[in-house]
Structure formats: C-alpha cells, structure tokens
C-alpha cells in the first residue's frame, strides 16, 4: 500500500508540473527560473528539517555521490529539458523522457549488475509507443531540422535523470535517507546554477507577476520537495527500473488535465495510446505466479 501511495503521488504531482512550468515561460531566463525553483525548494526542505531536528550533515565520504545526485537531478537535467522546449513541443519531450525506464535498466546493469528483465523492456516499449500515439502524429509531422536539437537535449536530460537515480540508489544503500540527500542535493544544485548564472552573465530577472510566483511556489514545494522525495523513496523501496515507470504515466495526467482546461480532445488514436500506456503499467507491476518447489515423492511401501 505504501509503494502504491508513493507511486500515485509521484505520478499526480509530476503530471501537473508541466502546467506550472508553462506559466513561467516569459521574460525570466530559463537558467534563472530553474535556480529560483531549487533555491526555494532547498530553503524550504533544509528549514523544515532543521526545525524538526532531522538535518544531518553528510560525511566527507558521502559528498561526491550527493553532488552527483545534485547535478543530475536538480541542475543539468532541467536545463536540458527547459532548453529543449524551445525546439520541440513539451509532448515530444515527454515521449523521450518516458525512456527513463530503459535508461535506468541499462544503468542499473552497468553500475549495480542488475539483470534487465524482459518485461521491463516490454513495459517500456508499450509505454513509449502509447505516448507517441497519445500526443498524435502532428508532433512528428511538425519536426524541423532544429527539432533534432530538442530531441538530443531531451535524451541528454533523461540520461542525467537516470544518473541521478543511480546516485540516489547508492545513497540510500549507504544509509542516507532520500529526504536528507534531497535537502543537500537541492542546495548544491542551486549553488551550481547560481555559479552558471554568474559565469554566463545571465541577467537575474525578478518574478514578473503573481502567476509566476504561484507557479514557482508550486514547482518548488510540491513538484520538487514533495515530488522528488516520494519518487526517490520509491527508488529505494522498489528499485530504479519500476520507479522510473512513473515517467511514462505522468504525461497521461498532463494530457488529461489538458482535455479539461485546454480544450484537448481525445482522438481514437489517442485512446489506443492511452490503452497501450496502461497496458505497459500492468505488465511492469503484475505479480507473476511463483513456481512451486518440486519435492521428491515419498517412497511407497510395497506390501507383498
């Protein structure tokens, strides 16, 4: 039940962050918007943990892997995704991001020696194809030469996300609670973003209106503090391969919200895509029957 709650929370939270991100598009540079997001998230999470007496400083030995998690999950991946949005629609980015399941399976094999289960690949294939149908042929028909930049950035961002999953898994195995790793990771990530702002000479533009501020608070507190904590707790409990399937399902939530508030209409092709995505979810989490152990038959006493 706990795993289901964590998984559902992650899907619902990250399925709604796309709307908030869209509300931030405007005069504030991407680098600054991402910095605002994780700087505020770090302040909130570190502050809450300090007040509750749960804030623990990582040891020198733990620092490198927390830094990897920070740069992968709270810096580089979002820079890739935000910049990709200037070349391709967010729907196509979601399709590429759904490949995180495959990335995690491969990286778990490389870094931890995990076996790649056939049903993981089947589920990922169903989910990715389902999303391609959900977002419709018009996404791919609209592809232009610059779109390959967006696709490449999306793939790179997904790779960073997967690296962050591996670092989080290692940190959890080392006894670092996901909420602790997130607190320090978001802090390190925001510092790295501020350094990039300084190096690139990017102007720091203040939030222009209340809509931007509301979106920022939602992305920082709900999307980052709560969302990443539930997701990385899920990684530590059920493994990176299964947890990453949330990345396939949350675009379905975003599409459903779009049908309610942005006049999106489900076509027959989109309905097939939704069915494929849900089928992939069923394959990933279905309980396979366990084989009964074969025991030797008891000897039969023959009576003469």
């Amino acid at each position: 039940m706990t795993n289901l709650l964590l998984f559902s929370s992650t899907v619902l939270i990250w399925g709604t962050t796309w709307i908030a991100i869209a509300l931030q598009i405007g005069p504030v540079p991407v680098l600054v918007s991402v910095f605002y997001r994780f700087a505020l998230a770090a302040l909130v999470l570190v502050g809450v943990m300090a007040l509750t007496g749960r804030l623990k400083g990582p040891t020198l030995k733990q620092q490198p892997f927390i830094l990897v998690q920070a740069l992968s999950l709270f810096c580089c991946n979002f820079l890739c995704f935000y910049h990709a949005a200037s070349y391709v629609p967010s729907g196509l980015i979601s399709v590429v991001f759904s490949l995180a399941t495959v990335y995690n399976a491969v990286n778990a094999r490389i870094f931890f020696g995990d076996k790649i289960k056939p049903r993981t690949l089947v589920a990922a294939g169903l989910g990715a194809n389902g999303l391609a149908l959900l977002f419709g042929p018009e996404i791919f028909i609209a592809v232009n030469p610059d779109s390959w930049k967006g696709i490449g950035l999306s793939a790179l961002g997904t790779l960073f996300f997967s690296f962050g999953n591996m670092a989080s898994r290692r940190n959890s195995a080392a006894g670092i609670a996901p909420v602790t790793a997130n607190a320090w990771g978001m802090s390190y990530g925001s510092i790295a973003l501020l350094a990039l702002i300084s190096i690139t000479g990017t102007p720091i533009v203040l939030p222009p209106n209340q809509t931007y501020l509301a979106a920022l608070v939602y992305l920082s507190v709900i999307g980052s503090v709560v969302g990443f904590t539930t997701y990385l707790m899920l990684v530590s409990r059920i493994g990176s391969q299964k947890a990453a399937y949330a990345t396939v399902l949350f675009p379905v939530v975003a599409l459903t919200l779009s049908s309610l508030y942005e006049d999106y209409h489900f076509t027959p092709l989109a309905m097939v895509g939704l069915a494929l995505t849900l089928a992939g979810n069923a394959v990933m989490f279905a309980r396979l029957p366990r084989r009964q152990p074969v025991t030797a038959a008891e000897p039969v006493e023959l009576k003469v």
Side-chain angles (χ1 to χ4, degrees):
M1 182 59 70
T2 301
N3 292 343
L4 179 61
L5 179 61
L6 291 172
F7 184 85
S8 301
S9 299
T10 302
V11 171
L12 290 174
I13 290 171
W14 283 356
T16 56
T17 53
W18 295 105
I19 294 177
I21 290 173
L23 293 174
Q24 286 194 307
I25 295 175
V28 181
V30 166
L31 189 55
V32 177
S33 287
V34 179
F35 165 72
Y36 283 158
R37 173 175 179 171
F38 288 110
L40 178 58
L43 286 173
V44 171
L45 189 53
V46 170
V48 169
M49 294 186 67
L51 289 174
T52 56
R54 299 172 58 194
L55 185 63
K56 298 179 180 179
T59 65
L60 186 62
K61 185 178 180 180
Q62 294 170 337
Q63 294 283 359
F65 290 97
I66 292 181
L67 182 60
V68 171
Q69 181 175 329
L71 296 178
S72 299
L73 289 183
F74 310 126
C75 181
C76 297
N77 63 327
F78 276 99
L79 291 178
C80 289
F81 292 137
Y82 274 69
H83 283 293
S86 64
Y87 297 108
V88 294
S90 61
L92 183 53
I93 297 173
S94 298
V95 173
V96 178
F97 191 37
S98 70
L99 296 177
T101 306
V102 179
Y103 279 34
N104 276 2
V106 173
N107 282 330
R109 173 64 178 173
I110 294 172
F111 294 109
F112 298 101
D114 292 358
K115 292 183 179 179
I116 300 178
K117 297 179 181 179
R119 70 171 178 168
T120 298
L121 299 179
V122 172
L126 287 170
N129 282 290
L131 285 174
L133 293 177
L134 267 171
F135 288 100
E138 65 274 7
I139 291 177
F140 301 98
I141 292 174
V143 169
N144 55 57
D146 283 342
S147 295
W148 292 110
K149 297 179 183 178
I151 294 172
L153 285 168
S154 300
L156 182 60
T158 306
L159 181 61
F160 279 124
F161 176 82
S162 181
F163 285 155
N165 281 221
M166 299 302 107
S168 174
R169 175 175 168 178
R170 187 271 174 195
N171 290 333
S172 295
I176 307 173
V179 67
T180 300
N182 280 354
W184 293 108
M186 290 178 184
S187 300
Y188 295 167
S190 60
I191 292 173
L193 289 164
L194 185 60
L196 287 174
I197 290 173
S198 177
I199 293 171
T200 59
T202 303
I204 298 179
V205 179
L206 295 177
N209 50 50
Q210 292 182 348
T211 300
Y212 183 97
L213 280 173
L216 174 61
V217 171
Y218 183 80
L219 288 170
S220 298
V221 179
I222 305 300
S224 299
V225 174
V226 180
F228 272 101
T229 299
T230 57
Y231 176 75
L232 295 180
M233 286 177 65
L234 200 63
V235 170
S236 68
R237 292 174 65 93
I238 67 174
S240 55
Q241 294 186 35
K242 286 187 175 181
Y245 200 74
T247 64
V248 176
L249 283 185
F250 76 74
V252 178
V253 176
L255 195 63
T256 302
L257 290 175
S258 181
S259 69
L260 295 175
Y261 300 105
E262 296 179 343
D263 199 29
Y264 176 85
H265 299 287
F266 278 98
T267 64
L269 198 62
M271 294 300 294
V272 173
L274 180 60
L276 283 175
T277 304
L278 295 178
N281 189 42
V283 168
M284 193 66 167
F285 292 99
R287 289 184 176 272
L288 299 178
R290 295 183 179 180
R291 294 182 180 180
Q292 296 296 328
V294 178
T295 57
E298 294 183 0
V300 178
E301 182 180 354
L302 297 178
K303 296 182 178 179
V304 181

